[in-house]
Amino acid sequence: MSSYLVSEHAVIPAEPQQLFDIVADPAMHPVIDGSGTVQATRSDGPQRLSLGAKFGMDMKMGAPYKIENTVVEFEDGRRIAWRHFNGHIWRYTFQPVDGGTEVTEQWDATHVWNRLLLRLAGFPSRNRAGIRGTLTRLGEVVAGDAR
């Protein structure tokens, strides 16, 4: 696997659609974010994501900044992905398995022009830790029904 594709998965005891609906709700992104960078949803975006939807987030990595995303993959209940301005993609897939749903989250920078800079800045390993944290938090939200 490429160092520009970071992928982690976890089995969460919930139905795929329930988990998908959480990820497709931009207001839940600050709640499930395991990296500590997603601060708030921008109010001008959709309440539920769909193919082609644009949504913004208030972020903080050292300094605060805003980012806009575009949903580039969407299969309700199965797969959702959005692209940042830089071209990298955040992707979630939901596969039913015994005991719940295998949720896979990926950070995909395989087609980004400045991949080397991202790697030198430590994003592959930083994102792996954030993804693991997000999968844990997603499971906690479902278990506690914190919505």
Side-chain angles (χ1 to χ4, degrees):
M1 185 173 288
S2 166
S3 62
Y4 302 108
L5 177 64
V6 177
S7 185
E8 292 287 332
H9 62 88
V11 174
I12 299 175
E15 294 296 317
Q17 190 67 53
Q18 180 184 11
L19 294 161
F20 182 92
D21 288 343
I22 293 168
V23 175
D25 178 354
M28 291 303 293
H29 292 195
V31 176
I32 64 171
D33 172 50
S35 71
T37 61
V38 181
Q39 303 296 297
T41 304
R42 307 252 309 278
S43 62
D44 57 347
Q47 291 185 355
R48 187 171 196 274
L49 299 178
S50 60
L51 187 62
K54 295 185 183 306
F55 67 102
M57 292 286 159
D58 292 336
M59 308 287 290
K60 186 173 183 183
M61 191 180 318
Y65 63 99
K66 297 180 184 309
I67 194 158
E68 185 164 307
N69 308 287
T70 302
V71 177
V72 295
E73 298 173 19
F74 188 90
E75 185 182 345
D76 200 357
R78 308 269 309 167
R79 169 189 294 265
I80 188 168
W82 52 86
R83 181 177 43 236
H84 290 223
F85 68 94
N86 192 44
H88 55 279
I89 294 173
W90 289 97
R91 178 181 297 113
Y92 291 81
T93 61
F94 305 87
Q95 179 67 37
V97 296
D98 287 341
T101 301
E102 182 179 66
V103 181
T104 301
E105 182 181 356
Q106 294 179 326
W107 175 77
D108 184 350
T110 55
H111 300 290
V112 175
W113 67 273
N114 63 349
R115 290 183 310 210
L116 182 58
L117 292 175
L118 290 172
R119 188 170 183 180
L120 292 173
F123 280 102
S125 62
R126 184 182 305 170
N127 287 338
R128 184 174 305 283
I131 288 170
R132 287 177 178 157
T134 297
L135 292 172
T136 297
R137 291 183 72 155
L138 180 59
E140 291 168 353
V141 166
V142 171
D145 198 23
R147 292 178 56 136

